[in-house]
Amino acid sequence: MAGPAFRSGFACFVGRPNAGKSTLTNALVGTKVAITSGRPQTTRHAIRGIVHRPDAQLILVDTPGLHRPRTLLGQRLNDVVRATLSEVDVVGFCTPADEPVGRGDRFIAEELSRLPKRTPVIAILTKADRVTEPDRLGARLLELASLGDFAEIIPVSAVPGRRSAGGDEATFQLDVLADLLVARLPEGPPLYPDGELTDEPERVMVAELVREAALEGVRDELPHSLAVVVEEMLPRPDRPADRPLLDVHVNVFVERPSQKAIVIGARGARLKDVGTRARGQIEALLGTPVFLDLHVKVAKDWQRDPKQLRRLGF
């Protein structure tokens, strides 16, 4: 007797900025494919992470936060989200458990209500580990349920090592969420080779890791004004085969000279710290020693300039 059919397809996480979408993507994939930060609007494009199971291949698309845009960059990020929503098999609508439902959540719920009926939406209450009282978690689930007609509603925690109101050691309900997403995929063969965890080009991943390190370094001073471009990644010539070194040349763009000073820091200390943190992550990603050459440049008001946005990859 034949077993259950193999399923494969795409799931998209959508939510307001900083709702935990990237952390959830990384936790389900089991490795880092999307950068995370406490700053809103960290994700700048749709990132694919691939979950391999004996019964299915689930391709997760982590999108930028959907929001009311104030710049051309904001409009383009929203365009990325809407284009992604139109192409996936199931949508996960993420709202954080430790914050009340707000205008941003209602704005997104309204957008999702316009999706074709064939696209199911699962409401996901993220960061459940931050709510320790079961009654409060229940109230948040009811609040979330009031936003739309969802196929399922589920609280989850993607952060290991904390206890959630559900009484379980986090991570909490990640396997259940994966099952709910997989059940809504079409039957079909795997779409990516076994073992592949992302289809992101290495250059994009390297640029994202540098941007993540830079965002952590500058706190709340310029979260949206940073863009990172990898100019070159070349093996250093004349190195012995057992001691390779990859030269990675990266430009960090800001909008004003005052922001350049913030990123560099006193006597270059902050930029050096960014380089140290990013290099460790890049070496882990690429599996080779790296010389990271960082430069900070000013691209005046790049978030509002169509020509500069194109040059920076948006």
Side-chain angles (χ1 to χ4, degrees), residues 29 48 65 88 95 97 126 145 174 181 186 200 257 264 271 276 298 303:
V29 174
R48 287 194 177 95
V88 297
T95 67
T126 59
L174 277 185
L181 294 169
E200 281 293 285
I264 293 172
L271 188 62
T276 300
V298 177
Q303 292 185 78

Side-chain angles (χ1 to χ4, degrees), residues 287-303:
T288 187
V290 163
F291 174 77
L292 181 59
D293 180 37
L294 285 181
H295 293 273
V296 184
K297 299 188 173 185
V298 177
K300 192 172 185 305
D301 293 330
W302 66 263
Q303 292 185 78

Side-chain angles (χ1 to χ4, degrees), residues 157-170:
S157 170
V159 180
R162 297 178 185 172
R163 189 170 292 278
S164 74
D168 295 322
E169 200 60 29

Side-chain angles (χ1 to χ4, degrees), residues 6 50-58 189-198:
F6 193 89
I50 304 156
V51 181
H52 298 273
R53 297 175 23 149
D55 61 335
Q57 190 178 81
L58 172 64
L191 301 170
Y192 289 88
D194 191 34
E196 196 167 309
L197 298 177
T198 181

Side-chain angles (χ1 to χ4, degrees), residues 7 10 89-90 120-122 151-152 179-186:
R7 295 179 180 274
F10 294 84
D89 302 296
V90 55
V121 179
I122 295 174
E152 303 275 357
D179 288 343
L180 292 175
L181 294 169
V182 163
R184 287 161 176 83
L185 301 181

Side-chain angles (χ1 to χ4, degrees), residues 10-14 25 46-49 59-63 84 88:
F10 294 84
C12 165
F13 290 141
V14 66
T25 298
I47 293 169
R48 287 194 177 95
I59 299 119
L60 298 170
V61 187
D62 175 37
T63 60
T84 304
V88 297

